[in-house]
Amino acid sequence: MTMLVQPAPLPEELDRGYLGRIMRVNGYKHLKEMTDSMAAHLGHAGASRRELTVHALLSQMAGMSEVQFAQRHTTLPLRRGITSYHPEVAHGSEGEGTALNYTAMQKTYHAAYYCKDCVTADIRFHGVSYWRRDHQIPGQLWCPKHRIPLSFVSTGDPLLHSPTQFVGSGESIPYVWTEEALQNGYVQRFLDLAATFYDQPKPFSVALIVPMLNDLGRSLGFKTNPGQSKGDLISDRLRDLFPHHWLDAVFHGILEKEPGTFLHQIDGVMYLRTSASSVTAYLLVLTVLFGSADEAINALLNACSDDETRAVRRSRRVHNLPDDNTLIDLYVEALGAHSEVMKKLEFPTHTVRKALLGLGLPTLSDADDPEAIGRVVGLRAFYLRRLSFSASAEVAGLSERKFEGLLRMCGPNLPKCLKRMNPKNSVRPRARKAKQVLSVQLAATVEPVQ
């Protein structure tokens, strides 16, 4: 019987990247040999991939059900987030619509994205680097954690290799593209909405959401069918609202069409009762029709739920986060580590990160980040010691560009939190992991507050 090393998947590790890591750990170079060995190791020797998909094999290697693995480690919940094909079937599940299992793992990507700073931090913390699912969201041009442009590889099958292999050789997204997108509220709303799809156990039905989109689009003055004489085209509005470099990367057809002409893959979202286009098209339209990602997701839930389920889902999504003062207290206890706050709340990563960033509280002291201490030192210098921008960036050990990006995430709550994190002032218990890694260094950086 074939015996393999079964590494656990890392947080948000992409399925194909996980497969590549299993191959490297066990010394395999060819995919077929690896999958055959996994099948034998799991007691399914001789089973074909039609009988036992790679998705099923990886789920068992990870010790998860196929539904759990699909929702935590594949892009399926986003790619299939809005569909007219078996919308009642949960992502990754068996039964009716079992063919969905064969597409749970996306076999090819136009490009694979990674963050150079994440690679460094992962090696330091986990001993290996890995491919993150949130870096593969369409339009995610920068790392949400480090706020630097992502790098990418667009040849071969890079996900089967370690991201470390491509540091220094991969291409980087131009900084100016990232800057344009970071400053555009519609881009952020799009990304927030895309991230929420990873929380959904099954897709939204096109047939159920189209009437809602049609009514709302008409009320906002958009043309909702090709024969309508008055109104604006939402495809034209998208061209006006989003940065063109970003839009070119996400949905190029919008820039190619002539103004005033219907683009059915976009404009058809509001009237076609079968899938008009990719989920990206629906996300773009939803971003314009609604004022926030939460409004959009709640509208989708309402359209696809009965009254009882609708009330439960809305309650779970909107009302369970603590109030702002409690979030601030948790942030201080965790010494600014978003990851520690997430552990305490057991909420999806993007939900907690969004709430903290909305309070002007960036992540400061994640233990797996080599720049964590520098960020704290620089921010204390800037806000508490009143040093200049350049001097603060210098003592932080960060480039002025990086320090500027950090300051843009900060709000008026941060200086108060920094004062409370001073070991001489704080009487609150610290998060254990953050305390072990950072308390000594933080104590050494404390300066008297004037």
Side-chain angles (χ1 to χ4, degrees), residues 76-101:
L76 187 66
L78 179 57
R79 289 185 286 117
R80 187 179 167 254
I82 297 175
T83 185
S84 55
Y85 179 72
H86 288 297
E88 74 285 354
V89 176
H91 300 304
S93 67
E94 298 181 354
E96 187 179 6
T98 302
L100 296 172
N101 250 346

Side-chain angles (χ1 to χ4, degrees), residues 111-117 140-142 148-154 166-178 401:
Y113 295 87
Y114 64 94
C115 166
K116 293 178 181 178
D117 284 7
Q140 186 68 68
L141 305 184
W142 63 92
I148 64 171
L150 292 175
S151 300
F152 63 94
V153 185
S154 55
F166 304 105
V167 173
S169 62
E171 300 178 73
S172 291
I173 294 171
Y175 186 80
V176 64
W177 294 16
T178 303
R401 178 174 287 181

Side-chain angles (χ1 to χ4, degrees), residues 11 33 39 68 73 145-146 171-172 175 224 242 271 345 371 383 406 416 426 445:
E33 290 180 3
Q68 288 175 324
H73 296 285
K145 180 174 182 179
H146 295 105
E171 300 178 73
S172 291
Y175 186 80
T224 55
F242 287 92
Y271 62 85
L345 294 177
E371 293 183 348
Y383 285 111
L406 177 61
K416 301 173 186 177
S426 176
T445 67

Side-chain angles (χ1 to χ4, degrees), residues 378-392:
L379 290 173
R380 279 185 168 154
F382 185 76
Y383 285 111
L384 305 186
R385 296 168 56 197
R386 306 294 184 182
L387 296 188
S388 68
F389 169 81
S390 298
S392 299

Side-chain angles (χ1 to χ4, degrees), residues 1 8 255 346 361:
M1 178 179 176
L255 300 178
E346 297 183 351
L361 302 175

Side-chain angles (χ1 to χ4, degrees), residues 2-176:
T2 303
M3 295 300 294
L4 300 176
V5 176
Q6 273 182 256
L10 294 165
E12 287 290 304
E13 183 171 18
L14 195 62
D15 52 357
R16 197 163 185 83
Y18 179 49
L19 174 59
R21 192 157 63 85
I22 294 173
M23 289 178 66
R24 293 192 298 277
V25 167
N26 289 283
Y28 284 85
K29 295 184 179 180
H30 301 290
L31 190 58
K32 186 178 187 306
E33 290 180 3
M34 181 72 261
T35 54
D36 288 346
S37 293
M38 282 196 295
H41 171 74
L42 296 167
H44 308 292
S48 70
R49 296 295 75 81
R50 178 170 292 277
E51 298 170 304
L52 193 66
T53 64
V54 176
H55 172 73
L57 290 171
L58 288 177
S59 303
Q60 293 184 43
M61 290 290 284
M64 298 179 182
S65 71
E66 293 179 36
V67 170
Q68 288 175 324
F69 189 79
Q71 293 177 359
R72 296 181 191 177
H73 296 285
T74 79
T75 58
L76 187 66
L78 179 57
R79 289 185 286 117
R80 187 179 167 254
I82 297 175
T83 185
S84 55
Y85 179 72
H86 288 297
E88 74 285 354
V89 176
H91 300 304
S93 67
E94 298 181 354
E96 187 179 6
T98 302
L100 296 172
N101 250 346
Y102 297 105
T103 60
M105 172 180 283
Q106 188 173 358
K107 294 182 180 179
T108 58
Y109 288 76
H110 296 300
Y113 295 87
Y114 64 94
C115 166
K116 293 178 181 178
D117 284 7
C118 283
V119 170
T120 301
D122 289 342
I123 292 173
R124 181 172 177 269
F125 189 69
H126 298 291
V128 294
S129 62
Y130 66 100
W131 299 94
R132 282 168 162 76
R133 182 172 67 165
D134 62 351
H135 288 167
Q136 317 307 319
I137 292 176
Q140 186 68 68
L141 305 184
W142 63 92
C143 173
K145 180 174 182 179
H146 295 105
R147 309 282 282 191
I148 64 171
L150 292 175
S151 300
F152 63 94
V153 185
S154 55
T155 57
D157 195 349
L159 294 175
L160 293 180
H161 305 276
S162 169
T164 309
Q165 179 176 329
F166 304 105
V167 173
S169 62
E171 300 178 73
S172 291
I173 294 171
Y175 186 80
V176 64

Side-chain angles (χ1 to χ4, degrees), residues 244-270:
H244 283 196
H245 285 129
W246 183 88
L247 201 56
D248 184 47
V250 173
F251 210 104
H252 181 68
I254 295 173
L255 300 178
E256 288 187 321
K257 82 176 193 76
E258 291 293 328
T261 59
F262 258 84
L263 181 63
H264 290 286
Q265 297 97 321
I266 295 290
D267 300 298
V269 161
M270 291 191 287

